DNA sequence: TGAAAATTGTCACAGATTGTAACATCAATC
DNA sequence: GATTGATGTTACAATCTGTGACAATTTTCA
């Protein structure tokens, strides 16, 4: 029902049956938000899944529950869900809340400090400016990155400490269903490393996690006012 | 009743009758959380047990009490319990609170704004930084660990004094349903020891518990701010 | 448009990491 | 102290990753 409704509304929906399905979808598709029913098959608990997702990302999550249980609601929100909707609900209401969550989420840091709207990312002295698509080294010189290199660095630097699979990087930096061998990412990472971990800055900012993918391990220093 | 319920929920439960049973279980099993009834047999006081556990660890504890007594509740929480549930309770509620406590407990300081809020782990002069995935020796030199070695050390160092079975380490450092002989862990531990217990630091930080698994015996010094 | 330049994809090989297994040690038990 | 079983260690094989060379593709610009 939800699937049909949201597809009619123009969304692209990945409907899955259980926790494993969710993990797969998160890996495979470029997911913007998760709607999660508390009562799942497969013996997995929806609350646990919320926590699991939260440990590695700030993916927006809306919990749907079979009943309006105060404890469930509170625990769910404490667990990190962004909203909680009890059945029965109106489809229109779900849509409204979804918009609300997405808005809050994307509206993340409008960051109007000093009358400026910078949302640059800083790490270990580096400065990454998504708007201008520029990378500036600690000593102030600009490092030229190609489009692909920049996209990968941007995605990863936004989430330090989070491990990205090659597939996921593929999805996030290119369109949804891009087909190419994963090793393309390896090559890009290699070129990227050569540029940002060059002689002067021997720190390893991108580490590889064997069998999984890559992590950005820079020291993000947000909100430089 | 609780045992059966939680086992149905997929938890592994060690049910014991008294304080001594609890101590044994804490030693023997890899305990994640303690549910403690205030009214115990064996003449031991539940409150005392809370304090006893608290003096040596930050093990999460939920107290169950036969009555909803404000004094009991306050004293219990002051003693260091993480939550307090009065009878009669719904099993679902206990589960929810348990989730909540576990989450709070595992919760990494969510992304520490202002670049502050390191959650590095220190032990015996060593410094383990999960975000940067770096291990720094007491004398300041960095020790290069592989992904697998780092994961094992991280899991164990987070819970000094806790015994991890090989299976559990397997689960915690790789996916859930990973299939490989347990001896893989032995090999990894061996390599890890060679790196962190090398000539300069003869202290044995990882001890083996025959028939069970391994314990991290470093002296954790938390949260140097 | 067409050539030059830049970027990306592909591949091969080197190197690193991990799984496996054999054997050496060690601990517990009788 | 001999036996039995568990753990430590190591070598080697299997797998995964890093990187350079070059081809294919896209972009730039005359």
């Amino acid at each position: 029902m939800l699937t049909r409704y949201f597809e009619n509304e123009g969304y692209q929906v990945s409907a899955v049956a259980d926790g494993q399905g969710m993990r797969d979808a998160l890996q495979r598709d470029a997911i913007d938000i998760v709607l999660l029913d508390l009562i799942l098959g497969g013996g997995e608990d929806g609350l646990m899944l919320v926590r699991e997702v939260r440990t590695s990302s700030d993916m927006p999550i809306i919990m749907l529950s079979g009943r309006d249980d105060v404890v469930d609601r509170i625990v769910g929100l404490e667990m990190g869900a962004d909203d909680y909707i009890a059945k029965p609900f109106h489809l229109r209401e779900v849509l409204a809340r979804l918009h609300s969550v997405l808005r809050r989420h994307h509206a993340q840091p409008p960051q109007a400090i000093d009358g400026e709207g910078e949302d640059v990312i800083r790490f270990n002295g580096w400065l990454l400016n998504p708007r201008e698509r520029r990378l500036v080294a600690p000593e102030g010189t600009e490092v030229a990155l190609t489009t692909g290199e920049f996209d990968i660095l941007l995605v990863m630097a936004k989430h330090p400490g989070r491990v990205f699979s090659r597939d996921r990087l593929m999805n996030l930096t290119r369109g949804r269903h891009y087909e190419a061998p994963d090793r393309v990412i390896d090559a890009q990472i290699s070129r990227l490393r050569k540029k940002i971990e060059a002689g002067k800055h021997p720190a390893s900012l991108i580490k590889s996690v064997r069998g999984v993918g890559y992590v950005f391990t820079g020291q993000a220093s947000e909100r430089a006012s």
Side-chain angles (χ1 to χ4, degrees), chain A residues 16-32:
Chain A
V16 298
D18 52 23
Q20 193 49 51
M22 183 189 74
R23 290 184 203 98
D24 294 345
L26 284 174
Q27 283 297 320
R28 191 183 57 241
D29 310 327
I31 301 294
D32 293 304

Side-chain angles (χ1 to χ4, degrees), chain A residues 93-121:
Chain A
E93 181 192 0
V94 178
L95 183 63
R97 301 246 195 147
L98 181 140
H99 284 164
S100 162
V101 168
L102 280 179
R103 202 167 46 235
R104 274 208 304 272
H105 195 257
H106 283 158
Q108 263 306 324
Q111 289 261 42
I113 313 174
D114 298 330
E116 225 344 283
E118 288 294 296
D119 59 343
V120 300
I121 297 170

Side-chain angles (χ1 to χ4, degrees), chain A residues 13-166:
Chain A
V13 181
S14 307
V16 298
D18 52 23
Q20 193 49 51
M22 183 189 74
R23 290 184 203 98
D24 294 345
L26 284 174
Q27 283 297 320
R28 191 183 57 241
D29 310 327
I31 301 294
D32 293 304
I33 186 169
V34 173
L35 261 67
L36 181 63
D37 197 311
L38 269 192
I39 312 303
L40 298 170
E44 282 190 285
D45 185 333
L47 290 171
M48 285 308 182
L49 288 179
V50 174
R51 184 172 75 182
E52 179 186 319
V53 173
R54 260 297 160 289
T55 57
S56 61
S57 81
D58 59 349
M59 174 73 58
I61 303 174
I62 294 181
M63 280 177 22
L64 302 174
S65 170
R67 55 164 190 262
D68 192 0
D69 184 307
V70 170
V71 174
D72 274 4
R73 179 187 293 266
I74 292 178
V75 172
L77 296 178
E78 276 194 356
M79 213 63 115
D82 295 276
D83 204 344
Y84 179 104
I85 307 177
K87 295 176 188 168
F89 44 72
H90 294 291
L91 291 174
R92 192 76 191 73
E93 181 192 0
V94 178
L95 183 63
R97 301 246 195 147
L98 181 140
H99 284 164
S100 162
V101 168
L102 280 179
R103 202 167 46 235
R104 274 208 304 272
H105 195 257
H106 283 158
Q108 263 306 324
Q111 289 261 42
I113 313 174
D114 298 330
E116 225 344 283
E118 288 294 296
D119 59 343
V120 300
I121 297 170
R122 293 164 197 275
F123 53 88
N124 302 27
W126 292 80
L127 198 148
L128 188 65
N129 190 323
R131 201 181 325 240
E132 303 174 3
R133 298 188 68 84
R134 288 180 353 123
L135 174 67
V136 180
E139 64 270 25
T141 58
E142 179 168 353
V143 175
L145 296 184
T146 68
T147 310
E149 291 161 2
F150 189 90
D151 287 342
I152 288 184
L153 178 59
L154 179 59
V155 164
M156 297 188 73
K158 271 185 183 168
H159 305 283
R162 173 169 163 190
V163 181
F164 291 89
S165 70
R166 295 175 176 74

